[in-house]
Amino acid sequence: MGNPACQRAARRVGRRLGIARRFAEYCAVLDPRNTVPSRGLLPDRYQRPPPYIYRDEEIASLLEAARRLPSVTGLRPHTYSTLFGLYAVTGMRCSEPLKLDRNDVDMANGVPTVRGTKFGKSRYVPLHASAGRALQDYATRRDDLCRNPGSPSFFVSEAGARLTHWSVRRSSNCLTR
């Protein structure tokens, strides 16, 4: 793939060349002797790296590591193992479980409702019965260990606040190293 800094520099130069190219196209209309640089001479668009698909063994070891996270109240290992398990079985976007409120999860049917997703839509996420039980177990433990949360969030920190993207990312990075 190459050095990310070099890739950014190449894209920046590519964008600048694109501006010059459009001007050259304009000039070529007025005077056909003008040459126009070819498209794609330099990359000018961000190219997302391909997603990494975790193997079953990697998911199992990640969940096991999450269950061993240090915790003051005992809630953190349950929160992160359930959250990462939900990511694994649903393929939800990173922010979607973090936006779930308690009333967004239908415990009787094991169906979370993700609200305000991409393009402002909402959708149901049907779960296997085992995943529904895992959410129910988490909710029971959460309510036992965090009696007065400061947030309506389904997934909460040990302080009772909604988990942030950065705290999840930090924990994920620590666990996957």
Side-chain angles (χ1 to χ4, degrees):
M1 284 236 169
N3 182 339
C6 291
Q7 291 173 348
R8 284 191 300 274
R11 284 193 302 271
R12 186 172 42 251
V13 170
R15 281 191 300 274
R16 293 176 73 187
L17 182 62
I19 294 168
R21 185 181 182 290
R22 286 187 288 282
F23 180 69
E25 285 175 336
Y26 169 77
C27 291
V29 170
L30 300 175
D31 185 355
R33 293 178 295 171
N34 288 316
T35 58
V36 179
S38 63
R39 286 190 194 274
L41 187 61
L42 289 173
D44 64 341
R45 290 197 173 102
Y46 172 74
Q47 291 182 331
R48 184 183 304 230
Y52 180 80
I53 308 297
Y54 285 89
R55 295 187 320 271
D56 290 344
E57 309 82 51
E58 292 173 314
I59 292 170
S61 67
L62 174 67
L63 296 178
E64 185 56 39
R67 288 184 197 101
R68 292 190 311 264
L69 281 169
S71 175
V72 175
T73 65
L75 180 61
R76 188 172 183 229
H78 299 296
T79 299
Y80 282 98
S81 62
T82 306
L83 177 64
F84 293 150
L86 189 63
Y87 283 139
V89 300
T90 63
M92 294 171 84
R93 292 179 183 93
C94 294
S95 64
E96 291 176 340
L98 304 181
K99 292 179 183 176
L100 287 175
D101 286 339
R102 291 166 189 246
N103 60 355
D104 291 334
V105 181
D106 176 1
M107 290 299 179
N109 298 310
V111 179
T113 302
V114 180
R115 301 182 193 284
T117 64
K118 205 170 187 179
F119 307 115
K121 296 182 179 183
S122 296
R123 71 176 194 280
Y124 297 114
V125 182
L127 299 174
H128 186 271
S130 61
R133 281 191 302 276
L135 288 181
Q136 179 65 52
D137 291 346
Y138 169 73
T140 301
R141 286 191 176 124
R142 177 202 60 214
D143 294 344
D144 288 343
L145 297 170
C146 186
R147 297 211 179 267
N148 299 311
S151 167
S153 180
F154 185 79
F155 291 104
V156 295
S157 68
E158 291 188 307
R162 185 179 298 274
L163 291 178
T164 65
H165 173 76
W166 295 110
S167 66
V168 173
R169 184 178 213 170
R170 185 178 62 239
S171 294
S172 173
N173 288 343
C174 289
L175 293 171
T176 54
R177 283 195 184 126

